[in-house]
Amino acid sequence: MTDTEHAAPRTAVAFREVYGAEPTGVWAAPGRVNLIGEHTDYNDGFVLPLALPHTTLAAAAPRTDGVLRLHSGGADGGVVDLRIDELRPAPPQAGWAAYPAGVVWAMREAGLPVGGADLHYESTVPTGAGLSSSAALEVATALALDDLFALGLERQRLARIAQRAENAFVGVPCGIMDQTAAACCTEGHALFLDTRELTHRQVPFDLPGEGLRLLVVDTRVKHALGDGAYAERRAGCERAARALGVRALRDVAPAQLPDALARLAGAPDVADVQPLVRHVVTENHRVAEVIACLDAGRPRAIGPLLTAGHASLRDDFAVSCPELDLVVEAATAAGALGARMTGGGFGGSAVVLVEEADAVAVGAAVTEAFAAAGYTAPRLFEAVPSAGAHRIR
Ligand code: GLA
C-alpha cells in the first residue's frame, strides 16, 4: 500500500467529522519535481517532470444548493463557505481555498455543468517548497469534480482548467507544467511534455532498477511565484520573442542562437534579455538530450546535463539562490552524478542524481555544507516516479 492509500481512510473519516456525512469518494493528486526543462513551459517549450509519492487527497460529495464548502486538515480557520455563482477572480484573503474555488470557477466559465460540493483535504506535499502543492490541490479538486458531476474530461483538459484557475482566479502567471504533471504522470516514468502542442509521452525512468536515486533537497527557503520575479522573467521572454519575430522562444533553434543574440545585442531596448534567451534555447536542447540518454538506456549520462541546466538557471536566468547553489556544489563535490534546482526557483528544492551506494554520503555532505554555512537544515527525501491523479475510493 502506498502512503496515499493509507491516508485515504483518514481523509474520509475527517470528512465525516467536518460535514457529518459520508464522502462520495476520495481522490489524490501528487506534487512533482522537474527533471529538466525549467522556465520553458511559458515559452511553448519542453519539460520533463515526474510525480512524487506525496499527494493531496480530496474527500468530496456533491451538493444541489450551489454551495461550495472547503476544509483542509492542514490549514487553520475552519470551513470556507462559498456560493458557486458568486465566485469572482482574485478573491481577497481567500488563502489556500482560492485554488479549489478557482477550479470550480474555471469549470463554470468553460460552461461545464458543475454544481456545489463539500470537500475536505489532507496533504503530504510540502508547501512553499517548489514541489507544486498548489497544482496538486487544483488537480485533486478538478478530478473529484469531474467524477462527481460525470464531466468525462480528459486529463490534459483537467490540467488546463487547473492552470486557468491559478492564472485567472488566483492570479499566479504559471505555465502548464505542474498541473499536467499532477494530472498525467505515471509510475516509473517521467513525463515528456510539449507545452505548445500539449502532447506528451511517458519516458521510462526506473531509478531503483538502474541502481540510482533521485534525492530531493528542500532548502526550506520559501519560494513564492506571485512575488513578481517570475512574472518579470516571463515578460522578458515574451519581449525577446517579439523582438525576434517568433511566436515564442521555442521557435529559436540552437543553431540560430548566436544570430538571435547578436540581433538582440544590437537593439538597446532588448539587449537585457539576451541571457534569458540563451537559457531557454539551451534548456530546450538539454531536454532533448536528456530524453535521448534515457531512451538509449543511459540514465547516468543525464547527470552533467542536469548540472549544466543549473548553471544556466543561476547565471543566465538568474532564478537560483545561494542555498540552491550550495546544494548543487556540495552534492557534485561529494560524488553526485548531477544536480539542479527544480521548479520556479528563488528558493524551494533541488534534485540530486546519485548512485544508490553514494546516496547517504551525498545527502550527509549537503546537510553538513548547510550547517557550515549557517543555513537552516534542509529536508531530504527520495523522489520515486509515482502515479498522477487518481481516485482512491
Ligand atoms: C513554476 C511554474 C511552472 C514552470 C516552473 C519553471 O513551477 O508553476 O509553470 O514555469 O515554475 O519551470
Side-chain angles (χ1 to χ4, degrees), residues 299-318:
R300 286 171 175 76
I302 74 173
L305 294 163
L306 303 186
T307 309
H310 183 80
S312 179
L313 288 159
R314 180 191 62 209
D315 302 337
D316 274 344
F317 218 71

Side-chain angles (χ1 to χ4, degrees), residues 19 26 35 43 55 102 106 110 122-123 146 171 197 206-207 296 322 328 330 343:
Y19 297 115
V26 179
L35 194 55
N43 290 296
T55 58
E122 298 285 342
S123 184
D146 179 62
E197 305 302 334
D206 176 14
L207 291 160
V328 173

